DNA sequence: CGTCTATGTTGACACATGTCGAACCAGCCG
DNA sequence: CGGCTGGTTCGACATGTGTCAACATAGACG
């Protein structure tokens, strides 16, 4: 589904510089630049609220969820919006407004990149 | 030593409270407690210096490295020690002193747990 | 014992981050 | 049109975090 070619590489709002990034962590030491890019992805999932939000979107039926469906994570609604924005900036989520509601869905490529870096340990 | 027989997941040979934790992120929304534990693992890899240190240990010949071999990451030596401690607290590294040097090695079970949570996206 | 090297710990500080209330925008609907 | 609901942005604050210099500890070695 991500075959859309709309990749504004200059916008600081969305950061699509999260392409297939780095080799498995066991292959060789990461360079400084690789580490910065990769750490940003892990950092985005390094907060409990963000992790719950992401998991809610990822496990939602249809692969997408509107904010109203996932915003019961114990924090205020502006905070939910703030975390969703962070996840979007990290390239892990995409958002789309349809009528009244805003729907979020996962960006599979970034997750695949992260899994690949840890994949050497997965049997 | 090993008292676990019922769980076919992973052998808990690491001392911290990081055991086989959570289902894949796509399976269901994480609970608050699961999210706290899991986010701590991702958070540990969410810093560029820590990621480089971890990658250096993971890719080092023999699966272990002494601090003197990996401390060339652009920060001072106390900072390296600080980050290694963080990685150890997160359950991603273990340390052992042999004579003058301290050797670090990866804890495979925690990495496997992280990879399993993202594994649904790996092609 | 004393000293040297290799790591870890402490204290301090600048900066990033998570959080909330209030204000603000975007569509629906009476 | 004017209000209503869903969602984002803003401003402010407290807390967390990365960093370093200085000091402390653990072995090796003379």
């Amino acid at each position: 589904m991500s075959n859309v070619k709309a990749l504004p590489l200059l916008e600081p709002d969305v950061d699509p510089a999260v392409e297939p990034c780095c080799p498995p962590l066991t292959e060789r030491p990461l360079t400084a630049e690789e580490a910065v890019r990769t750490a940003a992805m892990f950092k985005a999932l390094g907060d409990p609220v963000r992790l719950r939000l992401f998991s809610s979107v990822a496990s939602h039926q249809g692969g997408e969820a509107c904010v109203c469906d996932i915003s019961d994570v114990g924090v205020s609604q502006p905070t939910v919006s703030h975390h969703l924005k962070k996840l979007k900036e990290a390239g892990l989520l995409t958002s789309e407004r349809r009528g009244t509601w805003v729907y979020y869905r996962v960006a599979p490529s970034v997750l695949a990149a992260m899994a690949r870096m840890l994949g050497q340990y997965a049997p």
Side-chain angles (χ1 to χ4, degrees), chain A:
Chain A
M1 68 112 190
S2 294
N3 296 340
V4 198
K5 263 209 65 159
L7 286 183
L9 282 165
L10 309 174
E11 280 302 302
D13 185 15
V14 190
D15 186 6
V18 274
E19 49 197 50
C21 169
C22 302
L25 292 172
T26 51
E27 193 171 303
R28 55 167 174 79
L30 294 181
T31 68
E33 184 185 348
E34 287 172 341
V36 168
R37 290 177 54 193
T38 308
M41 311 191 308
F42 285 105
K43 193 176 188 177
L45 293 182
D47 179 87
V49 175
R50 279 198 293 272
L51 202 51
R52 289 186 76 189
L53 289 172
F54 182 86
S55 176
S56 294
V57 173
S59 64
H60 205 264
Q61 169 254 353
E64 68 177 14
C66 108
V67 182
C68 54
D69 290 328
I70 60 177
S71 49
D72 64 343
V73 286
V75 294
S76 71
Q77 211 256 341
T79 303
V80 169
S81 190
H82 165 73
H83 284 304
L84 288 174
K85 185 179 180 180
K86 288 270 187 137
L87 287 168
K88 208 166 66 172
E89 287 172 357
L92 276 73
L93 290 181
T94 61
S95 68
E96 177 196 2
R97 170 163 224 130
R98 289 205 300 273
T100 306
W101 296 278
V102 177
Y103 292 88
Y104 281 82
R105 52 171 57 239
V106 302
S109 61
V110 184
L111 270 295
M114 295 176 70
R116 184 158 16 94
M117 300 188 72
L118 307 172
Q120 298 302 101
Y121 289 94

